[in-house]
Structure formats: structure tokens, C-alpha cells
Amino acid sequence: MDMWLGAGRELVAIPGPTVVPDRVLSAMHRAMPDIYAGELTDVIDEVFDALPGVARTASRPFVTISNGHGAWEMALSNTLSRGDRVLVLECGRFGTVWGEMAQFNGLRVEAVTADTGRAVDPAAVEEHLRRDAQHEITAILVVHVDTASSIRNDLPAIRAAIDAAGHPALLMVDCIASLACERYEMDAWGVDVTVAASQKGLMTPPGLGFVWAGPRALAAHQSADLRTRYWDWTSRTENGPYYLRFCGTPPVTHLYGIREALRMVGEEGLEARWHRHTALAAAVHAAVDAWSTPGGLSLHATDPAERANAVTTIRAGAIDADRLRSICRDDAGVTLGIGVGDVAGPAFRIGHMGHVNVPMVLGVIGTIEAALGAMRAPTGGSGVAAASAALADVL
Ligand SMILES: *Cc1c(COP(=O)(O)O)cnc(C)c1O
């Protein structure tokens, strides 16, 4: 039929940029203020004061005017030196790409790669590190939730593996997709550098990156030779005008936005946010499991304990994922994420991170189910029924 029913409020359910709350949008809609004095300095202080709590750390935060890739580069350039060996733990495309950046910037990159559909195996990490008896590896890069595969790595287990090998490498974690969605404890988990960005769980438009640097990372910074003037932590922490923190004009509008978003995170509470994401993700996983059928849809993450709370990657099997996405977007008003990286064939993704609640998730699931019906695609059972039942358990 191809009837257009999309005239209501559009829902973009991709895994970032995510839905920006009206409160954040309104906070950003303003004329430019004085950048040398007055209210903006209070906004900057409030943002910097709130950031450590979000990553559960006492570490100093740095704010980049960039996307997540910029924050990745800030983390590498401030702590490492040309020719250093760096170990990347890969369970999806984003880990691989961070490693490619490290390689391009002059580091020697090696990898521990997870099996398809699985998280990185901590035992493999321990074994790899034990082979480095001279401790030449200076940093371990790992993505908490890989947004391509929707798999969550077990960071406490990885930390324990590094400790079991007695290895001193810095542990750097990309929390771009997971921060404020999944439990994350930078200090308790012994993480040296955390990297995040504004446009996923933090509900603000793309344009800000965040890097938290722990004491071991700040010590490594003293001798790092990949340092560049723009990203340099030292020049961003010198005493002097506050705009040194940004190496130039502050990102005024984004600062107002992220301040409001951080207030919302504080009002809800981190634990409550983690629980909300867990409950909504369980509904999505239940729906996909219900739809699953041989040759049809299936969850990419095979171990339920490794499935992310922020995003779900769905393998499409013989079902035409492009057609499904286009019915959802063009006829119904829901945009789904495309499959990225090696997820064994065609796939699509549902983002459920940040400003997301029950009607949004059930709306996405119901729309997919209707589109599958329109395509006469084979499914095992009703995803809507399964998701509602999963939510009924927690409401
Ligand atoms: C989105 C994302 C990135 C890349 O962030 P950009 O803002 O696009 O540079 C990196 N890592 C993870 C886990 C992500 O989800």
C-alpha cells in the first residue's frame, strides 16, 4: 500500500545523535553572552563540577570542542609517544577505528579481537599481556559499549586480567555510547582515561567531547611526545583566563545545553538512569527474541550478559533491512540505525540511549512489527507482546 502515516512527531531512534530534550534545546536557544565575565563563567564551573560525578571519578575532566573522534585524539596525544605499543581490545567497528587513529598518529597497534557476536575475552587479554614481559605496551584501548556490535565489554574483568598479568599499561576506555546509560565506575574499576561525547547518553547535540584523566595518565602526560598545542592538557590547566580550558573561545551554546543535560542526569540520578536503560533494553531484546526465526531476525550479541543497554544491533538474515528501514522512516516516522562494521550480513540498529521512555521504545518496536507485517516477513511471534510483558515485570 505504501500509505504515508508519518505526519506526527518524528522519532529518530539511531544510536546517536540521540533525542535532545526540549529543556536542553531551550537552554541552547539564546543570544551570545560576554565570554570574559558574567553568567557564562558560572555555567562553565557548573559543567566542570558535574562532570567527574557522571564518570564516578575524582579525576580532572577536559572538554573538547569536537565529536568523539577529537576526544579520542586528545586521550592518545596527551599520554603516549611515537612508537609506543598500544593494545586495542576489539568487539566491533569503533574499537577498530580508535586503533586506526592510534596507528595513523605513530603508535604501534596490536589487537585482541573478540569472536563475532561476543565481548572481548579477559583471559585472552591476560595471555596477550603476559607475553609482553618487557612491559613495552604502554596503553590498552577498549570501548565499553561498541555501538556497531551493541556489545558491552566487562571492564572490571578486563581490569582484573591486566592486574593478574601484573601489567602497568594505562587503561583507556571509550564510554561515548555508554556514559549515563550503563553502570560505569572509573575510579573503582581502575580506569586511567575515560572518553565520552555529548550526543549519545548525554542528550546534547554533537560537538562536545569529554576526557577524564586519572593520576597515572597525568603522570604519563609529563613525558608524552605526541602532545600537540591544541589538545594539550597542561596548557588547558594553566592558571589564567578560564578560556584556556578550551584553547580559545568556549563553545557557548553547547555549554548551556550540556549544563541543562547534566542537571537532568542529576535530577534523575545515575543509578535510576542505569536501571531505566536496563529495563528498556530488556524490552527491546525480548521483542527481537520473539521475532527471531531461522533465516530471519536475530540479536547480534549472542550472550545475554554482554548485550548493551544503550543500543541493539539486529541481524536481518534474509529480511531486506533497507526496505524495513525505509518503510519505518518514509512511511511511519521512525528512523532506525544502519548496520555498521562486520556483523555477519545485513543488519539494523535501534538506539535506546539518553532521553528515552516506554512509549518511545514500544513505538519503535510496534512500528518495526507493523513494517515486518507489511513486508510479509517471517517472524516467530509478537515483539510488541514480548516487550510489553518484559516491561510489565518492572513497572
Ligand atoms: C559514536 C561513537 C564514537 C564516535 O563518536 P563521533 O562523535 O562520531 O566521533 C566512538 N565510539 C563509540 C562507542 C561511539 O558510540
Side-chain angles (χ1 to χ4, degrees):
M1 277 277 286
D2 276 343
M3 190 173 180
W4 185 62
L5 304 176
R9 175 174 286 220
E10 254 179 75
L11 183 53
V12 177
I14 64 176
T18 64
V19 172
V20 178
D22 290 344
R23 271 177 68 176
V24 174
L25 288 173
S26 322
M28 297 179 75
H29 189 86
R30 59 177 60 238
M32 288 303 102
D34 184 359
I35 61 165
Y36 299 103
E39 192 189 63
L40 184 66
T41 57
D42 298 336
V43 176
I44 292 172
D45 285 343
E46 189 176 333
V47 168
F48 277 79
D49 287 349
L51 283 172
V54 187
R56 288 279 171 95
T57 181
S59 299
R60 175 188 287 282
F62 294 91
V63 177
T64 67
I65 306 171
S66 74
N67 55 20
H69 282 67
W72 271 349
E73 185 152 302
M74 175 189 258
L76 300 175
S77 69
N78 274 286
T79 52
L80 302 172
S81 296
R82 193 164 297 278
D84 278 358
R85 280 173 66 190
V86 166
L87 175 62
V88 180
L89 311 184
E90 301 177 330
C91 72
R93 182 77 192 131
F94 285 93
T96 310
V97 174
W98 197 8
E100 286 169 3
M101 175 185 273
Q103 179 102 33
F104 186 98
N105 287 359
L107 299 160
R108 287 185 291 152
V109 175
E110 52 209 86
V112 168
T113 304
D115 293 339
T116 302
R118 293 299 309 275
V120 170
D121 177 8
V125 177
E126 182 179 340
E127 196 189 302
H128 191 100
L129 292 174
R130 279 189 190 284
R131 284 203 301 270
D132 176 31
Q134 305 305 316
H135 295 166
E136 287 179 359
I137 295 171
T138 49
I140 299 163
L141 314 184
V142 58
V143 177
H144 187 201
V145 165
D146 199 296
T147 322
S149 62
S150 73
I151 290 169
R152 178 182 52 243
N153 282 307
D154 185 343
L155 296 173
I158 288 169
R159 175 77 256 173
I162 298 167
D163 293 344
H167 203 290
L170 294 175
L171 177 59
M172 302 200 197
V173 180
D174 168 347
C175 290
I176 294 173
S178 57
L179 199 75
C181 304
E182 313 259 0
R183 175 174 294 280
Y184 181 70
E185 313 264 0
M186 178 172 174
D187 288 358
W189 293 355
V191 176
D192 298 300
V193 178
T194 300
V195 175
S198 53
Q199 79 273 23
K200 312 259 168 110
L202 292 175
M203 310 179 293
T204 302
L208 292 182
F210 307 100
V211 180
W212 292 259
R216 296 177 70 237
L218 291 173
H221 174 68
Q222 298 310 320
S223 58
D225 82 2
L226 284 181
R227 287 166 63 174
T228 62
R229 182 64 177 83
Y230 182 67
W231 294 126
D232 196 58
W233 285 344
T234 297
S235 53
R236 286 173 182 245
T237 50
E238 277 163 5
N239 288 327
Y242 68 88
Y243 53 79
L244 284 181
R245 292 192 205 183
F246 302 101
C247 198
T249 307
V252 172
T253 310
H254 274 72
L255 288 167
Y256 278 94
I258 194 71
R259 175 175 71 163
E260 195 63 24
L262 290 168
R263 284 179 176 174
M264 291 176 71
V265 171
E267 287 163 20
E268 184 178 4
L270 262 187
E271 304 267 352
R273 280 181 82 82
W274 296 338
H275 289 140
R276 171 166 59 84
H277 283 86
T278 303
L280 296 174
V284 173
H285 301 156
V288 182
D289 268 338
W291 289 325
S292 281
T293 186
L297 300 184
S298 62
L299 287 162
H300 174 64
T302 49
D303 182 341
E306 296 170 354
R307 289 176 189 153
N309 289 332
V311 50
T312 298
T313 303
I314 300 158
R315 287 159 63 166
I319 294 173
D320 183 346
D322 288 340
R323 172 120 190 273
L324 177 71
R325 286 181 54 255
S326 88
I327 294 174
C328 288
R329 185 191 57 216
D330 301 335
D331 302 338
V334 173
T335 303
L336 303 172
I338 55 169
V340 293
D342 175 18
V343 289
F348 65 96
R349 293 176 301 157
I350 302 174
H352 33 90
M353 52 175 76
H355 196 55
V356 192
N357 60 14
V358 170
M360 292 162 85
V361 163
L362 285 180
V364 171
I365 292 168
T367 307
I368 294 171
E369 188 156 307
L372 290 167
M375 293 167 67
R376 308 277 178 267
T379 54
S382 169
V384 176
S388 308
L391 290 164
D393 282 344
V394 292
L395 280 172

